[in-house]
Amino acid sequence: RFSKSRDFGQIDKLLRRYCDPSKSKICEVGGGNGAVVWALGKSGFADVSVLEPNGHRITGTEYLREREDASDIRIWNYLDEWYASEEQYDLI
């Protein structure tokens, strides 16, 4: 539902102005249930991640982790792991 909203339409439009969907690495910080990164992935952004300390099903990332169509999304639930990673992002 979110991917069809006007809110997401504006986010998608803005990111496409500044990012190349096939090359840019994006990480959403404080992503809740991951609706934004999931929608970005479905709209063609190839490298998306989410940093969200809440791993619960309803309010956190567990539902996203269970979706087969979200397997390409990197989910960070631990800030220490995110900081220790060598991942570098074009957009946070």
Side-chain angles (χ1 to χ4, degrees), residues 26-44:
I26 298 172
C27 185
E28 179 186 12
V29 174
N33 65 6
V36 173
V37 292
W38 180 84
L40 288 172
K42 294 296 130 203
S43 73

Side-chain angles (χ1 to χ4, degrees), residues 82-88:
W82 190 71
Y83 278 132
S85 168
E86 294 187 16
E87 293 285 336
Q88 294 187 2

Side-chain angles (χ1 to χ4, degrees), residues 2-85:
F2 179 71
S3 63
K4 294 179 178 24
S5 71
R6 290 180 65 197
D7 289 339
F8 178 69
Q10 292 301 311
I11 292 168
D12 187 58
K13 183 178 176 179
L14 179 67
L15 292 182
R16 287 177 188 281
R17 176 176 282 169
Y18 297 104
C19 300
D20 179 344
S22 66
K23 296 179 184 176
S24 298
K25 291 181 72 165
I26 298 172
C27 185
E28 179 186 12
V29 174
N33 65 6
V36 173
V37 292
W38 180 84
L40 288 172
K42 294 296 130 203
S43 73
F45 284 85
D47 197 339
V48 292
S49 301
V50 61
L51 171 62
E52 171 54 57
N54 181 350
H56 295 115
R57 178 146 179 76
I58 303 298
T59 57
T61 58
E62 183 178 343
Y63 175 70
L64 182 66
R65 191 178 300 279
E66 294 172 353
R67 293 186 61 103
E68 288 182 27
D69 63 351
S71 62
D72 292 342
I73 298 172
R74 172 66 193 230
I75 299 172
W76 300 94
N77 288 128
Y78 300 99
L79 187 59
D80 291 343
E81 289 178 6
W82 190 71
Y83 278 132
S85 168

